[in-house]
């Protein structure tokens, strides 16, 4: 069993700090994405188009905050080691969440829910989809993308 002291020590370690910062960036990105998704749906954009747009909008602060704050990278982004892998992972997440939103919207339409309830269910589907992918993205960011390539040499 892990003690409180063990948890505090782990949280103060470099890996623990990175995990905490990644979590906080995720919270910010989720808030941005959820607000954009709900707002776009309430403006009567189709749920699939709204999800695509909202996830892209939320991805922008996610990339910059993860790179600079969580992983402490500065300077110019490396296209093939950072930008392309990040957006590839993000587009995989967008694809998965868009599928989940489409299923949720179809289900809520078949049950004749109001536009607001449909929109909220679609937001929940988006949130659930990205929740499933969250841990995998952390591992990919930590082990593949935002690493100090100079220190490896």
């Amino acid at each position: 069993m892990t003690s409180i002291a063990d948890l505090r020590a782990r949280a103060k370690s470099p890996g623990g700090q990175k995990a905490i910062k990644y979590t906080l960036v995720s919270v910010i990105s989720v808030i941005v994405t959820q607000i954009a998704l709900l707002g776009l749906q309430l403006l009567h954009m189709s749920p699939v188009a709204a999800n695509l747009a909202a996830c892209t909008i939320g991805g922008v602060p996610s990339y910059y905050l993860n790179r600079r704050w969580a992983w402490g990278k500065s300077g110019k982004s490396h296209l093939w080691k950072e930008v392309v892998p990040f957006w590839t992972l993000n587009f995989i997440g967008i694809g998965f969440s868009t599928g989940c939103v489409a299923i949720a919207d179809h289900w809520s339409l078949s049950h004749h829910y109001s536009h607001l309830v449909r929109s909220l269910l679609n937001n929940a589907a988006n949130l659930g989809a990205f929740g499933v992918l969250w841990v995998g993205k952390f591992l990919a960011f930590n082990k593949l993308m935002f690493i100090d390539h100079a220190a490896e040499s």
Side-chain angles (χ1 to χ4, degrees):
M1 190 159 144
T2 304
S3 70
I4 297 295
D6 291 338
L7 290 174
R8 283 187 184 139
R10 190 174 300 157
K12 290 180 181 180
S13 72
Q17 288 293 300
K18 196 178 292 181
I20 290 168
K21 289 177 182 179
Y22 171 73
T23 301
L24 293 173
V25 169
S26 295
V27 168
I28 292 166
S29 298
V30 163
I31 290 169
V32 169
T33 300
Q34 290 291 303
I35 289 170
L37 179 57
L38 185 60
L40 292 169
Q41 289 180 97
L42 292 178
L43 293 172
H44 295 283
M45 182 180 276
S46 78
V48 167
N51 190 70
L52 292 168
C55 291
T56 302
I57 291 166
V60 173
S62 177
Y63 175 78
Y64 287 106
L65 288 171
N66 272 311
R67 184 177 189 277
R68 302 229 11 149
W69 187 52
W71 274 267
K73 301 285 282 183
S74 60
K76 188 177 177 182
S77 294
H78 191 283
L79 179 65
W80 293 108
K81 292 179 181 175
E82 295 174 1
V83 177
V84 171
F86 176 88
W87 284 102
T88 299
L89 285 172
N90 204 49
F91 287 130
I92 290 168
I94 290 171
F96 182 60
S97 71
T98 299
C100 292
V101 166
I103 291 167
D105 193 58
H106 177 73
W107 183 83
S108 61
L109 277 170
S110 70
H111 286 79
H112 307 288
Y113 290 126
S114 70
H115 183 68
L116 177 61
V117 171
R118 282 180 44 220
S119 297
L120 293 172
L121 288 171
N122 294 338
N123 273 61
N126 167 280
L127 187 61
F130 275 102
V132 168
L133 299 172
W134 185 76
V135 172
K137 286 174 71 174
F138 174 79
L139 295 172
F141 291 170
N142 197 42
K143 300 294 182 189
L144 301 174
M145 293 171 40
F146 300 126
I147 56 178
D148 187 355
H149 295 287
E152 294 176 339
S153 308

